[in-house]
């Protein structure tokens, strides 16, 4: 399968410059972030992706947009692949608000507060990653699946620090 960290968000832009939480809830992508999303979609357009699993954070949903324009691609929003809650940017948007901003996605299955209430432990994030890895390894379509997620979740899943807009190939059966 393929893993993609969302493009640069306004949180990433300000945090990189100051190393301080700028206090932006559920930030959007910067123009660079949108460019990174388009570049990833272009790079992966011949990879046979038919399914995109995406986190419900705005930055991930925006990153997934160019992939949804590819023929035969469907999307599934899963809060289980969200970021590890550590900063204000990890406060998400309620499903009803997301539905108005992204009407082509289904959000009715999400809890009203789908993000973690407090700072989430690394162990809890790693457990979510283990459960996702096992679920994907059991799916016959994992080779044609793209996950659009976040630094903390991808680190827990792969052990790698993935940059904004960076993608990699991943075998969920490895490490089980």
């Amino acid at each position: 399968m393929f893993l993609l960290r969302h493009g640069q968000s306004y949180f990433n832009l300000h945090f990189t410059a100051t190393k301080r939480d700028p206090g932006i809830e559920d930030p959007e992508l910067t123009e660079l972030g949108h460019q990174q999303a388009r570049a990833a979609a272009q790079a992966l357009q011949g990879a046979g992706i038919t399914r995109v699993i995406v986190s419900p954070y705005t930055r991930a949903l925006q990153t997934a947009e160019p992939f949804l324009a590819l023929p035969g691609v469907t999307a599934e929003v899963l809060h289980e692949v969200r970021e590890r809650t550590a900063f204000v940017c990890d406060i998400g948007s309620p499903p009803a608000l997301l539905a108005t901003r992204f009407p082509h996605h289904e959000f009715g299955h999400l809890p009203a507060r789908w993000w973690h209430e407090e700072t989430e432990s690394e162990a809890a994030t790693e457990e979510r990653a283990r459960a996702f890895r096992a679920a994907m390894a059991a799916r016959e379509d994992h080779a044609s699946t793209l996950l659009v997620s976040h630094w903390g979740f991808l680190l827990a899943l792969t052990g790698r620090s993935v940059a904004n807009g960076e993608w990699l190939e991943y075998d969920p059966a490895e490490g089980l």
Side-chain angles (χ1 to χ4, degrees):
M1 68 182 295
F2 299 91
L3 309 177
L4 170 63
R5 181 178 173 199
H6 64 79
Q8 181 193 60
S9 72
Y10 283 99
F11 169 86
N12 301 128
L13 176 69
H14 294 292
F15 188 80
T16 299
T18 66
K19 299 302 181 219
R20 290 192 314 253
D21 188 336
I24 306 169
E25 291 184 9
D26 198 12
E28 295 187 5
L29 294 180
T30 63
E31 182 51 41
L32 174 59
H34 284 288
Q35 291 172 10
Q36 290 168 329
R38 289 189 298 269
Q42 184 175 9
L44 293 171
Q45 70 182 356
I49 293 170
T50 59
R51 180 171 174 246
V52 175
I53 296 173
V54 60
S55 157
Y57 285 110
T58 295
R59 56 199 182 269
L61 292 162
Q62 289 177 323
T63 300
E65 290 296 312
F67 289 92
L68 303 180
L70 300 176
V73 175
T74 61
E76 180 180 5
V77 177
L78 292 179
H79 71 281
E80 293 86 352
V81 299
R82 69 188 179 275
E83 179 59 288
R84 175 177 177 239
T85 305
F87 297 101
V88 172
C89 68
D90 303 323
I91 296 171
S93 297
L97 178 59
L98 291 172
T100 63
R101 296 185 67 214
F102 301 96
H104 48 283
H105 289 295
E106 175 57 46
F107 298 100
H109 63 287
L110 295 178
R113 184 183 178 110
W114 49 265
W115 57 97
H116 204 272
E117 198 160 324
E118 302 172 351
T119 299
E120 184 178 19
S121 70
E122 286 184 42
T125 306
E126 289 169 358
E127 182 53 40
R128 282 193 292 115
R130 272 192 295 278
F132 178 76
R133 181 184 309 114
M136 288 307 302
R139 292 190 61 109
E140 291 183 17
D141 67 345
H142 72 260
S144 63
T145 298
L146 167 71
L147 169 66
V148 180
S149 189
H150 307 272
W151 180 84
F153 186 78
L154 295 175
L155 179 65
L157 186 64
T158 67
R160 287 189 51 192
S161 178
V162 181
N164 289 119
E166 182 182 0
W167 62 271
L168 53 114
E169 289 187 64
Y170 175 71
D171 183 350
E174 288 182 11
L176 285 182

